[in-house]
Amino acid sequence: MPVALEIVSPEKLLLSRNVEMVVIPASEGEMGVLPNHAPMIVLLRGGTIAIHEGGKVTDRLYVSGGFAEITPERCTVLADEAVPTSELSRAEGERRLSAAEAEYNATDKNDVPSLDAAMDRMQSARAMIEAAAA
């Protein structure tokens, strides 16, 4: 019994197919989703989604963040941004990292929500650089 996987970005439906397993970058760490998974909604951090079919990784997509809704039959990823890793640019990741670091350094250190948002953008940019290099 496969897992019905859908990956959606604000622009379009990127992927919709049955897969053996999907590994998502949940905010608490990498999370594998198999058939009959417990229902939950998880926050995603910047990272790579790995799609497993036939016992191996067949596709990888970078996501900058978002949410995933998991049911026993389905995993729906609502990504802020999703790009196949083959289309990533290390230079773009480095540009985003520099911008996020500058934003963090310019932020009032008492403004915790703004600091957290800048740190999330730094982590997401680092994940993009790592995924582009892989």
Side-chain angles (χ1 to χ4, degrees), residues 33-101:
V33 179
L34 291 161
N36 297 315
H37 197 287
M40 61 181 60
I41 295 177
V42 296
L43 182 63
L44 300 178
R45 60 179 165 72
T48 304
I49 294 175
I51 299 168
H52 294 254
E53 295 174 289
K56 64 181 186 202
V57 175
T58 58
D59 294 290
R60 291 183 188 273
L61 290 101
Y62 162 80
V63 293
S64 61
F67 294 89
E69 179 185 18
I70 301 164
T71 69
E73 306 83 28
R74 169 177 303 280
C75 177
T76 303
V77 173
L78 305 168
D80 297 334
E81 172 187 25
V83 180
T85 55
S86 61
E87 296 175 18
L88 289 177
S89 158
R90 182 178 178 89
E92 173 63 13
E94 289 171 352
R95 185 198 63 74
R96 289 183 186 192
L97 180 57
S98 292
E101 287 171 340

